[in-house]
Amino acid sequence: QVQLVESGGGLVQPGGSLRLSCAASGFTLKYYDIGWFRQAPGKEREGVSCMSKSDGSTFYADPVKGRFTISRDNAKNTVYLQMNSLKPEDTAVYYCAIADISNSCESWDYEYWGQGTQVTVSS
């Protein structure tokens, strides 16, 4: 019954912007930590940004700090990732995920996952 569905990916030029959405169903989002992860070809899945369910504190990976913003709308049960000033190295499949209890922004710490959405940054 738990389901996470990402959308908003696509092809953009360097310097462009995208906003990814993750629609949640089957649970109440406010009780979970949330995260965005990405996986580029030939590389391991990496944490991009995570947010605590308790106080809303956030984590950003160094390569995206200052360019990406994670947010949540608990009333809509939806998670967002605003991506600005995109670079070719941001190209990857992006996944949203939730955790009941997490102490890191690493994939092994998260339980439920969406199917992913492709982001390609190229001129």
Side-chain angles (χ1 to χ4, degrees), residues 3-4 6 37 45 95-98 106-108 110-115:
Q3 188 170 239
L4 298 167
E6 300 97 332
F37 301 80
R45 190 173 299 184
Y95 302 87
C96 70
I98 63 168
E106 298 181 3
S107 60
W108 57 264
Y110 281 73
E111 182 177 8
Y112 297 104
W113 293 81
Q115 84 290 347

Side-chain angles (χ1 to χ4, degrees), residues 45-62:
R45 190 173 299 184
E46 300 178 336
V48 175
S49 181
C50 294
M51 176 182 285
S52 170
K53 66 185 177 185
S54 57
D55 61 1
S57 61
T58 57
F59 164 86
Y60 294 95
D62 286 341

Side-chain angles (χ1 to χ4, degrees), residues 18-70:
L18 285 173
R19 189 174 80 155
L20 305 184
S21 298
C22 177
S25 61
F27 63 96
T28 303
L29 183 64
K30 66 181 292 184
Y31 298 119
Y32 291 84
D33 299 339
I34 59 173
W36 286 95
F37 301 80
R38 67 185 183 186
Q39 187 166 21
K43 302 187 69 175
E44 298 293 327
R45 190 173 299 184
E46 300 178 336
V48 175
S49 181
C50 294
M51 176 182 285
S52 170
K53 66 185 177 185
S54 57
D55 61 1
S57 61
T58 57
F59 164 86
Y60 294 95
D62 286 341
V64 309
K65 192 169 298 182
R67 300 187 296 120
F68 290 12
T69 303
I70 189 172

Side-chain angles (χ1 to χ4, degrees), residues 1 5 9 24 40 44 63 65 72 88 95 97 108-109 115 117 122:
Q1 190 171 23
V5 180
E44 298 293 327
K65 192 169 298 182
R72 66 198 299 168
Y95 302 87
W108 57 264
D109 221 0
Q115 84 290 347
T117 186
S122 177

